[in-house]
Amino acid sequence: MTSVDALQILNQFASLQGHLVRKFLHLYDPKDRERFRDVPNGTLSVNGRTWSHQRHGAGVTFTDSNNTRVNAHVGMTEHPEGIDSGRILEYLESLDITTVSFDNRDYSATIHDINNLINDMTQRGLLRTVTTQGRFPHQMFKLTHVSNIQRDGGNIPVS
């Protein structure tokens, strides 16, 4: 498989996660905004794609029929587009992407390389650090610019 542009895939992920989280919050209006214990597991639709959602710990995992996974955990209500290395790694794995490229460098889909990618993108000013509030403080990152999700629901064609 060829390498996928890291900025494009992070932008795609952040936008998709933001749409899913906002739809989830709008549909269910949970009172428990940290663990979502008052929300049943179920499905929702975003841009014509159906996603199942399952609560876990301090978040929700969204999965579509192609097994694309978006695991929006700690801080999803505060930072719907927030990313961290674990979220990105799980998303890449669900898309069968093994390598992403940024600034003429390839990063493999491993926690070590994704951490390095996030550090490199932060140093270049493309990501900024945010820390969640509440019982589960968590450091994560936000893209300095997130574009709208693509019409096809966020899939990047990979050859």
mmCIF file of all heavy atoms in Angstrom, residues 9-22 46-47 80-81 83 143 146-150:
data_model
loop_
_atom_site.group_PDB
_atom_site.id
_atom_site.type_symbol
_atom_site.label_atom_id
_atom_site.label_comp_id
_atom_site.label_asym_id
_atom_site.label_seq_id
_atom_site.Cartn_x
_atom_site.Cartn_y
_atom_site.Cartn_z
ATOM 1 N N ILE A 9 -5.317 12.756 6.311
ATOM 2 C CA ILE A 9 -5.998 11.732 7.092
ATOM 3 C C ILE A 9 -6.380 12.264 8.471
ATOM 4 O O ILE A 9 -7.444 11.953 8.997
ATOM 5 C CB ILE A 9 -5.174 10.420 7.182
ATOM 6 C CG1 ILE A 9 -6.059 9.237 7.594
ATOM 7 C CG2 ILE A 9 -4.016 10.529 8.130
ATOM 8 C CD1 ILE A 9 -6.846 8.648 6.498
ATOM 9 N N LEU A 10 -5.541 13.104 9.085
ATOM 10 C CA LEU A 10 -5.889 13.693 10.379
ATOM 11 C C LEU A 10 -7.044 14.671 10.238
ATOM 12 O O LEU A 10 -7.939 14.717 11.080
ATOM 13 C CB LEU A 10 -4.678 14.367 11.032
ATOM 14 C CG LEU A 10 -3.919 13.504 12.026
ATOM 15 C CD1 LEU A 10 -3.308 12.282 11.384
ATOM 16 C CD2 LEU A 10 -2.859 14.314 12.740
ATOM 17 N N ASN A 11 -7.036 15.432 9.166
ATOM 18 C CA ASN A 11 -8.138 16.346 8.899
ATOM 19 C C ASN A 11 -9.434 15.570 8.682
ATOM 20 O O ASN A 11 -10.490 15.917 9.221
ATOM 21 C CB ASN A 11 -7.814 17.209 7.681
ATOM 22 C CG ASN A 11 -8.820 18.304 7.465
ATOM 23 O OD1 ASN A 11 -9.098 19.091 8.360
ATOM 24 N ND2 ASN A 11 -9.372 18.350 6.273
ATOM 25 N N GLN A 12 -9.344 14.492 7.904
ATOM 26 C CA GLN A 12 -10.511 13.642 7.658
ATOM 27 C C GLN A 12 -11.042 13.069 8.965
ATOM 28 O O GLN A 12 -12.236 13.106 9.237
ATOM 29 C CB GLN A 12 -10.111 12.512 6.718
ATOM 30 C CG GLN A 12 -11.168 11.453 6.542
ATOM 31 C CD GLN A 12 -10.638 10.309 5.715
ATOM 32 O OE1 GLN A 12 -10.298 10.498 4.546
ATOM 33 N NE2 GLN A 12 -10.553 9.135 6.293
ATOM 34 N N PHE A 13 -10.138 12.536 9.789
ATOM 35 C CA PHE A 13 -10.534 11.947 11.062
ATOM 36 C C PHE A 13 -11.187 12.973 11.980
ATOM 37 O O PHE A 13 -12.263 12.733 12.525
ATOM 38 C CB PHE A 13 -9.326 11.320 11.776
ATOM 39 C CG PHE A 13 -9.667 10.857 13.158
ATOM 40 C CD1 PHE A 13 -10.299 9.648 13.358
ATOM 41 C CD2 PHE A 13 -9.391 11.656 14.255
ATOM 42 C CE1 PHE A 13 -10.657 9.234 14.641
ATOM 43 C CE2 PHE A 13 -9.734 11.251 15.532
ATOM 44 C CZ PHE A 13 -10.368 10.037 15.726
ATOM 45 N N ALA A 14 -10.533 14.119 12.160
ATOM 46 C CA ALA A 14 -11.049 15.139 13.071
ATOM 47 C C ALA A 14 -12.431 15.633 12.635
ATOM 48 O O ALA A 14 -13.337 15.793 13.457
ATOM 49 C CB ALA A 14 -10.067 16.304 13.170
ATOM 50 N N SER A 15 -12.591 15.838 11.341
ATOM 51 C CA SER A 15 -13.877 16.292 10.822
ATOM 52 C C SER A 15 -14.954 15.229 11.017
ATOM 53 O O SER A 15 -16.065 15.528 11.481
ATOM 54 C CB SER A 15 -13.732 16.656 9.350
ATOM 55 O OG SER A 15 -14.959 17.092 8.817
ATOM 56 N N LEU A 16 -14.641 13.996 10.668
ATOM 57 C CA LEU A 16 -15.592 12.899 10.822
ATOM 58 C C LEU A 16 -15.968 12.711 12.290
ATOM 59 O O LEU A 16 -17.150 12.617 12.630
ATOM 60 C CB LEU A 16 -15.004 11.612 10.252
ATOM 61 C CG LEU A 16 -15.839 10.342 10.416
ATOM 62 C CD1 LEU A 16 -17.211 10.500 9.758
ATOM 63 C CD2 LEU A 16 -15.085 9.149 9.836
ATOM 64 N N GLN A 17 -14.974 12.675 13.162
ATOM 65 C CA GLN A 17 -15.257 12.517 14.588
ATOM 66 C C GLN A 17 -16.131 13.673 15.093
ATOM 67 O O GLN A 17 -17.087 13.458 15.833
ATOM 68 C CB GLN A 17 -13.953 12.474 15.387
ATOM 69 C CG GLN A 17 -14.202 12.352 16.880
ATOM 70 C CD GLN A 17 -12.900 12.324 17.646
ATOM 71 O OE1 GLN A 17 -12.438 11.257 17.982
ATOM 72 N NE2 GLN A 17 -12.320 13.487 17.910
ATOM 73 N N GLY A 18 -15.835 14.895 14.674
ATOM 74 C CA GLY A 18 -16.638 16.044 15.073
ATOM 75 C C GLY A 18 -18.091 15.905 14.659
ATOM 76 O O GLY A 18 -19.011 16.176 15.435
ATOM 77 N N HIS A 19 -18.320 15.460 13.420
ATOM 78 C CA HIS A 19 -19.690 15.258 12.942
ATOM 79 C C HIS A 19 -20.397 14.173 13.750
ATOM 80 O O HIS A 19 -21.564 14.331 14.134
ATOM 81 C CB HIS A 19 -19.686 14.883 11.458
ATOM 82 C CG HIS A 19 -19.535 16.048 10.540
ATOM 83 N ND1 HIS A 19 -18.319 16.633 10.287
ATOM 84 C CD2 HIS A 19 -20.445 16.732 9.817
ATOM 85 C CE1 HIS A 19 -18.493 17.633 9.450
ATOM 86 N NE2 HIS A 19 -19.767 17.715 9.145
ATOM 87 N N LEU A 20 -19.706 13.065 14.001
ATOM 88 C CA LEU A 20 -20.311 11.954 14.753
ATOM 89 C C LEU A 20 -20.640 12.369 16.184
ATOM 90 O O LEU A 20 -21.740 12.103 16.680
ATOM 91 C CB LEU A 20 -19.370 10.742 14.760
ATOM 92 C CG LEU A 20 -19.219 10.013 13.432
ATOM 93 C CD1 LEU A 20 -18.024 9.067 13.464
ATOM 94 C CD2 LEU A 20 -20.506 9.264 13.078
ATOM 95 N N VAL A 21 -19.711 13.025 16.834
ATOM 96 C CA VAL A 21 -19.921 13.436 18.225
ATOM 97 C C VAL A 21 -21.064 14.448 18.323
ATOM 98 O O VAL A 21 -21.941 14.323 19.186
ATOM 99 C CB VAL A 21 -18.619 14.007 18.827
ATOM 100 C CG1 VAL A 21 -18.887 14.730 20.144
ATOM 101 C CG2 VAL A 21 -17.599 12.889 19.015
ATOM 102 N N ARG A 22 -21.074 15.427 17.455
ATOM 103 C CA ARG A 22 -22.141 16.441 17.508
ATOM 104 C C ARG A 22 -23.515 15.813 17.242
ATOM 105 O O ARG A 22 -24.497 16.157 17.882
ATOM 106 C CB ARG A 22 -21.842 17.561 16.528
ATOM 107 C CG ARG A 22 -20.768 18.488 17.041
ATOM 108 C CD ARG A 22 -20.554 19.689 16.117
ATOM 109 N NE ARG A 22 -19.551 20.552 16.678
ATOM 110 C CZ ARG A 22 -18.236 20.421 16.478
ATOM 111 N NH1 ARG A 22 -17.781 19.443 15.700
ATOM 112 N NH2 ARG A 22 -17.379 21.246 17.036
ATOM 113 N N VAL A 46 -24.729 9.787 9.542
ATOM 114 C CA VAL A 46 -24.000 11.007 9.223
ATOM 115 C C VAL A 46 -23.632 10.954 7.744
ATOM 116 O O VAL A 46 -23.009 9.990 7.288
ATOM 117 C CB VAL A 46 -22.727 11.160 10.094
ATOM 118 C CG1 VAL A 46 -21.839 12.282 9.590
ATOM 119 C CG2 VAL A 46 -23.096 11.387 11.549
ATOM 120 N N ASN A 47 -24.054 11.954 7.006
ATOM 121 C CA ASN A 47 -23.767 12.061 5.570
ATOM 122 C C ASN A 47 -24.101 10.785 4.801
ATOM 123 O O ASN A 47 -23.331 10.331 3.958
ATOM 124 C CB ASN A 47 -22.303 12.438 5.341
ATOM 125 C CG ASN A 47 -22.008 13.851 5.769
ATOM 126 O OD1 ASN A 47 -22.902 14.620 6.093
ATOM 127 N ND2 ASN A 47 -20.739 14.205 5.784
ATOM 128 N N PRO A 80 -14.845 18.012 20.299
ATOM 129 C CA PRO A 80 -15.350 16.995 19.365
ATOM 130 C C PRO A 80 -14.350 16.605 18.276
ATOM 131 O O PRO A 80 -14.382 15.481 17.797
ATOM 132 C CB PRO A 80 -16.591 17.646 18.758
ATOM 133 C CG PRO A 80 -17.030 18.644 19.762
ATOM 134 C CD PRO A 80 -15.770 19.152 20.406
ATOM 135 N N GLU A 81 -13.458 17.510 17.885
ATOM 136 C CA GLU A 81 -12.460 17.196 16.861
ATOM 137 C C GLU A 81 -11.108 16.814 17.460
ATOM 138 O O GLU A 81 -10.120 16.692 16.744
ATOM 139 C CB GLU A 81 -12.257 18.385 15.903
ATOM 140 C CG GLU A 81 -13.397 18.623 14.941
ATOM 141 C CD GLU A 81 -14.452 19.559 15.506
ATOM 142 O OE1 GLU A 81 -14.222 20.166 16.570
ATOM 143 O OE2 GLU A 81 -15.523 19.669 14.880
ATOM 144 N N ILE A 83 -7.874 14.971 18.889
ATOM 145 C CA ILE A 83 -7.200 13.743 18.476
ATOM 146 C C ILE A 83 -6.100 13.402 19.472
ATOM 147 O O ILE A 83 -5.635 14.254 20.217
ATOM 148 C CB ILE A 83 -6.599 13.847 17.055
ATOM 149 C CG1 ILE A 83 -5.518 14.931 17.002
ATOM 150 C CG2 ILE A 83 -7.676 14.098 16.032
ATOM 151 C CD1 ILE A 83 -4.764 14.959 15.700
ATOM 152 N N LEU A 143 -6.268 20.071 15.371
ATOM 153 C CA LEU A 143 -5.713 20.674 14.166
ATOM 154 C C LEU A 143 -6.000 22.163 14.202
ATOM 155 O O LEU A 143 -7.073 22.577 14.660
ATOM 156 C CB LEU A 143 -6.346 20.053 12.920
ATOM 157 C CG LEU A 143 -5.861 18.650 12.568
ATOM 158 C CD1 LEU A 143 -6.840 17.965 11.643
ATOM 159 C CD2 LEU A 143 -4.482 18.710 11.934
ATOM 160 N N VAL A 146 -9.613 22.614 10.494
ATOM 161 C CA VAL A 146 -10.315 21.387 10.118
ATOM 162 C C VAL A 146 -11.322 21.754 9.045
ATOM 163 O O VAL A 146 -12.173 22.601 9.254
ATOM 164 C CB VAL A 146 -11.049 20.749 11.326
ATOM 165 C CG1 VAL A 146 -11.822 19.515 10.890
ATOM 166 C CG2 VAL A 146 -10.069 20.400 12.427
ATOM 167 N N SER A 147 -11.211 21.124 7.883
ATOM 168 C CA SER A 147 -12.167 21.398 6.806
ATOM 169 C C SER A 147 -13.379 20.488 6.959
ATOM 170 O O SER A 147 -13.375 19.546 7.743
ATOM 171 C CB SER A 147 -11.513 21.175 5.441
ATOM 172 O OG SER A 147 -11.262 19.812 5.234
ATOM 173 N N ASN A 148 -14.398 20.762 6.213
ATOM 174 C CA ASN A 148 -15.614 19.949 6.256
ATOM 175 C C ASN A 148 -15.339 18.553 5.728
ATOM 176 O O ASN A 148 -14.511 18.364 4.848
ATOM 177 C CB ASN A 148 -16.734 20.594 5.438
ATOM 178 C CG ASN A 148 -17.273 21.829 6.111
ATOM 179 O OD1 ASN A 148 -17.221 21.943 7.334
ATOM 180 N ND2 ASN A 148 -17.769 22.766 5.321
ATOM 181 N N ILE A 149 -16.112 17.609 6.247
ATOM 182 C CA ILE A 149 -15.975 16.215 5.830
ATOM 183 C C ILE A 149 -16.301 16.091 4.344
ATOM 184 O O ILE A 149 -17.150 16.802 3.818
ATOM 185 C CB ILE A 149 -16.882 15.318 6.682
ATOM 186 C CG1 ILE A 149 -16.530 13.863 6.514
ATOM 187 C CG2 ILE A 149 -18.321 15.547 6.390
ATOM 188 C CD1 ILE A 149 -17.156 12.983 7.558
ATOM 189 N N GLN A 150 -15.630 15.195 3.689
ATOM 190 C CA GLN A 150 -15.853 14.988 2.263
ATOM 191 C C GLN A 150 -17.241 14.408 2.027
ATOM 192 O O GLN A 150 -17.817 13.759 2.872
ATOM 193 C CB GLN A 150 -14.790 14.036 1.713
ATOM 194 C CG GLN A 150 -13.382 14.558 1.902
ATOM 195 C CD GLN A 150 -12.358 13.464 1.683
ATOM 196 O OE1 GLN A 150 -12.682 12.314 1.434
ATOM 197 N NE2 GLN A 150 -11.103 13.835 1.794
#
